[in-house]
Amino acid sequence: MRPDPNSADSLAALAAVIASRLPAHGGNPEASYVARLLHKGPDAFLKKIGEEATEVVMAAKDADHGGDKTKIVCEVADLWFHSMIALAHYGLSPADVIAELVRREGTSGLEEKAMRKLKGREVQASGSAS
């Protein structure tokens, strides 16, 4: 049975495939695009994330001027996919991202941003105090 395309199960299934391509799990860079990116290291997949993020912005700007809105979906899918490669590399999963979104639920976006800024300052201050 194929997972519901609107569920976290679909992300988990894709994450499992990506994890199977990790070098530690025998991912073959000659046979797999994901394994190739992982084999090249963070610079390779982080560059792809930057490229895909730019393509999301470009697709959205095009849609603002009458372009095909479905291109946004395609570009976001590419961005999510490459972000999932980064998550796998760092031993994280989509479930970790979902848990963070759930944690933020009910919190004002402005409040959340202010809290992150405050925590950043505290970390900076404790680092300079050492």
Side-chain angles (χ1 to χ4, degrees), residues 27-117:
N28 180 356
E30 300 298 318
S32 164
Y33 170 74
V34 172
R36 187 175 313 137
L37 278 178
L38 288 164
H39 180 75
K40 289 180 179 179
D43 285 349
F45 58 77
L46 295 175
K47 179 180 176 184
K48 284 301 296 179
I49 290 170
E51 290 171 5
E52 299 303 342
T54 299
E55 290 175 10
V56 169
V57 171
M58 291 169 40
K61 295 299 262 177
D62 287 347
D64 284 339
H65 299 284
D68 183 1
K69 292 179 185 179
T70 61
K71 288 185 179 180
I72 299 170
V73 173
C74 294
E75 297 303 342
V76 169
D78 290 345
L79 177 60
W80 285 14
F81 177 77
H82 288 90
S83 295
M84 289 175 65
I85 293 171
L87 288 171
H89 173 80
Y90 294 108
L92 301 166
S93 73
D96 297 312
V97 177
I98 292 168
E100 176 61 14
L101 292 171
V102 168
R103 184 193 68 76
R104 294 180 186 185
E105 190 175 331
T107 303
S108 156
L110 296 173
E111 182 182 327
E112 176 67 25
K113 186 175 180 180
M115 289 299 293
R116 280 186 277 140
K117 194 178 269 189

Side-chain angles (χ1 to χ4, degrees), residues 111-128:
E111 182 182 327
E112 176 67 25
K113 186 175 180 180
M115 289 299 293
R116 280 186 277 140
K117 194 178 269 189
L118 179 62
K119 286 180 184 176
R121 285 189 198 131
E122 290 172 355
V123 167
Q124 210 172 30
S126 67
S128 63

